[in-house]
Amino acid sequence: MPNTLVIIPTYNEIDNLEPIVSRVRANVADAEVLIVDDSSPDGTGALADSLAARDSNVHVLHRSTKNGLGAAYLEGFAWALSRGYYTLVQMDADGSHLPEQLPSLLAASENAEVVMGSRWVTGGHIVNWPWHRRMLSQGGSTYSRFLLHLHQRDVTGGYRVYSANALERMRLSSVESLGYCFQIDMLLHAVRAGLTVVEVPITFVERTHGASKMSGRIVLEAMGRVTMWGLTGQGVARTSGSPAVAGSRRG
């Protein structure tokens, strides 16, 4: 049975894709890779096909439209679950998620159903972010944690590991966010399902090639959705428990 699948969504990542796939394959040799390309006009999809032709552990899923990171991941999850993969990894294509740290996330997944790479626990770091970007990200996590009663510290981070069983229990058909808010929505589903969620400190590195897809409008839209969830009681029940952090003291 196939075991680990690293899902990498792409849109105009032609300069970043080959290096990131190569680093994943070098650091977790038995992991397979699924590139989910949203019809990138820069040729990323054709490059993905070329990588798959050279390496049988690389697969490509072409999507006809670009309708959000969450939609790409959900389609990737469905592809993986239908083929029996046991461990599914979310990873950005731009190099911000270091493949060199994937072994530590996978090690933590042996005792947890959801593992979150975290920038905001002790041992987590950010490289090459301006102060306003740091404040926006940390502020968004803090705001979401408060309104939704989440214990986890980095609720918007996208470097994650899910077991297949976890995804099946999370009722993915009810995940309604497709953009920046997708990560928060997925965490809410995981906590509501009673899954074991741990955070592992990571170093997050700002991209050096290509343009970021992030914008103020996207963040404001996500915070609006979080506000609606909080005001309508769609967060999680308050508990006295503490978040689990693997490889670090609580931040």
Side-chain angles (χ1 to χ4, degrees), residues 1-227:
M1 177 183 294
N3 187 13
T4 300
L5 182 72
V6 181
I7 302 174
I8 304 177
T10 56
Y11 184 77
N12 287 350
E13 296 289 357
I14 195 165
D15 293 326
N16 295 312
L17 181 59
E18 187 165 4
I20 203 71
V21 170
S22 176
R23 289 164 62 192
V24 169
R25 299 285 292 118
N27 282 277
V28 187
D30 58 350
E32 298 185 20
V33 176
L34 173 64
I35 302 163
V36 184
D37 186 66
D38 280 4
S39 297
S40 299
D42 70 345
T44 300
L47 174 60
D49 287 336
S50 175
L51 297 177
R54 286 182 267 154
D55 185 344
S56 62
N57 281 345
V58 176
H59 314 279
V60 185
L61 179 58
H62 293 282
R63 286 164 29 91
S64 59
T65 58
K66 182 180 184 295
N67 60 347
L69 181 69
Y73 272 128
L74 290 173
E75 197 161 333
F77 291 153
W79 187 96
L81 292 172
S82 70
R83 288 163 175 79
Y85 290 91
Y86 180 76
T87 303
L88 287 76
V89 180
Q90 291 185 185
M91 179 182 289
D92 287 351
D94 60 13
S96 57
H97 298 151
L98 302 181
E100 293 75 17
Q101 295 184 323
L102 181 54
S104 66
L105 272 69
L106 291 174
S109 73
E110 295 177 6
N111 298 302
E113 294 156 303
V114 180
V115 178
M116 302 168 55
S118 180
R119 299 159 291 184
W120 308 126
V121 296
T122 301
H125 299 283
I126 297 283
V127 177
N128 294 333
W129 259 13
W131 67 269
H132 58 85
R133 182 79 183 274
R134 183 186 295 264
M135 287 187 64
L136 186 65
S137 177
Q138 197 163 21
S141 275
T142 300
Y143 182 75
S144 301
R145 291 173 59 214
F146 175 76
L147 271 186
L148 304 177
H149 311 152
L150 291 165
H151 290 303
Q152 293 75 23
R153 298 189 65 84
D154 192 351
V155 304
T156 63
Y159 199 2
R160 298 184 181 181
V161 180
Y162 295 96
S163 71
N165 179 63
L167 291 173
E168 288 166 351
R169 289 172 57 190
M170 285 165 61
R171 297 190 306 111
L172 295 182
S173 61
S174 66
V175 174
E176 56 188 25
S177 307
L178 300 181
Y180 181 70
C181 203
F182 173 75
Q183 310 298 359
I184 304 170
D185 202 351
M186 287 288 288
L187 177 57
L188 266 177
H189 276 69
V191 175
R192 287 174 185 151
L195 302 175
T196 303
V197 181
V198 302
E199 294 187 89
V200 173
I202 61 167
T203 297
F204 183 96
V205 181
E206 176 66 339
R207 67 161 63 232
T208 56
H209 299 289
S212 173
K213 315 306 190 289
M214 188 59 61
S215 70
R217 181 188 63 79
I218 291 173
V219 174
L220 287 174
E221 180 181 324
M223 292 304 98
R225 186 178 288 269
V226 167
T227 301

